[in-house]
Amino acid sequence: AAGVIQSPRHLIKEKRETATLKCYPIPRHDTVYWYQQGPGQDPQFLISFYEKMQSDKGSIPDRFSAQQFSDYHSELNMSSLELGDSALYFCASSSRPSSGANVLTFGAGSRLTVL
Amino acid sequence: GQQLNQSPQSMFIQEGEDVSMNCTSSSIFNTWLWYKQEPGEGPVLLIALYKAGELTSNGRLTAQFGITRKDSFLNISASIPSDVGIYFCAGHWNNMRFGAGTRLTVKP
């Protein structure tokens, strides 16, 4: 079965550079979530999109932005990178069943290292 | 906020032993999920719980949605070395929140 695809899997950037992560959700999933997981930490919610509109916002820095496109894929753009941005970035997708209960399926993650 | 308290933080057990971990919150959730994460990979869903009091099994795993909707537990019976990983609870209301994780080590 198709899963959530994230690219790139690994990315190395220097401070103050920009980075873009991409996420391709499971087919027919209309909701995308972005999470940041630092070393030894639990995943921290950044932002989510439903039907191409931002649906919820978590602890996403102002230097980051994201969007969901017409084909439902999403991109997370990170500018003015800082050392503390080094982390695993996970994308997850779900469909919005009428019951309102969401089950998130996660991608394998993109590891960002800022030097 | 919707903070989740997951315990224990880590467990070191012998192969064959049973494992129990839980999550509690001061807020109610309408869904409880349990995920397992292995190094460098994304969390993989183990069990989803949708109703208060619901008890669900997946092989050697059993999880329950607390009757107050503020807690959940996960049990693993007869642990094996491949159970090693970090187990996260996640509660959903308007958005998904994760516990801090339970790091499980199984000694052969």
Side-chain angles (χ1 to χ4, degrees):
Chain A
V4 178
I5 306 297
Q6 290 188 245
S7 68
R9 289 296 310 275
H10 302 274
L11 190 60
I12 300 175
K13 291 286 185 178
E14 297 198 353
K15 284 196 311 183
R16 292 180 289 277
E17 285 191 322
T18 61
T20 297
L21 306 180
K22 296 185 179 182
C23 170
Y24 297 86
I26 290 174
R28 291 182 294 283
H29 278 194
D30 50 20
T31 308
V32 169
Y33 310 77
W34 285 99
Y35 285 82
Q36 177 192 59
Q37 187 177 31
Q41 304 294 316
D42 58 292
Q44 295 294 311
F45 172 69
L46 294 178
I47 195 167
S48 64
F49 293 87
Y50 169 62
E51 284 291 345
K52 292 153 279 185
M53 300 288 289
Q54 181 181 310
S55 57
D56 196 12
K57 195 172 182 180
S59 52
I60 184 169
D62 292 340
R63 299 176 290 106
F64 293 9
S65 65
Q67 57 181 326
Q68 186 179 31
F69 295 85
S70 57
D71 64 351
Y72 294 101
H73 95 273
S74 178
E75 295 184 4
L76 177 66
N77 300 296
M78 299 174 282
S79 62
S80 302
L81 288 170
E82 303 174 356
L83 296 178
D85 296 329
S86 295
L88 265 173
Y89 290 82
F90 289 107
C91 171
S93 73
S94 73
S95 58
R96 285 275 180 119
S98 57
S99 66
N102 281 353
V103 173
L104 274 61
T105 301
F106 284 81
S110 294
R111 181 177 294 281
L112 171 66
T113 303
V114 181
L115 303 176
Chain B
Q2 294 173 310
Q3 299 297 320
L4 295 185
N5 300 306
Q6 185 172 350
S7 65
Q9 279 190 324
S10 60
M11 302 183 75
F12 296 84
I13 62 168
Q14 204 73 38
E15 182 178 1
E17 290 184 351
D18 296 342
V19 173
S20 185
M21 60 191 78
N22 69 85
C23 273
T24 60
S25 173
S26 57
S27 305
I28 61 173
F29 292 98
N30 58 18
T31 305
W32 281 96
L33 306 174
W34 285 91
Y35 287 88
K36 178 187 178 186
Q37 186 177 25
E38 299 189 18
E41 300 297 324
V44 174
L45 181 69
L46 299 174
I47 291 180
L49 303 159
Y50 299 109
K51 294 191 304 185
E54 180 181 355
L55 182 71
T56 297
S57 292
N58 177 9
R60 294 178 295 107
L61 278 61
T62 302
Q64 185 159 30
F65 193 144
I67 197 72
T68 64
R69 297 169 67 187
K70 293 182 180 181
D71 64 304
S72 177
F73 72 73
L74 173 72
N75 289 338
I76 305 173
S77 62
S79 59
I80 59 178
S82 62
D83 290 334
V84 163
I86 303 176
Y87 292 79
F88 289 101
C89 65
H92 181 267
W93 183 251
N94 291 318
N95 46 51
M96 194 73 68
R97 290 291 182 262
F98 282 81
T102 296
R103 184 179 296 273
L104 179 63
T105 302
V106 180
K107 294 176 286 186

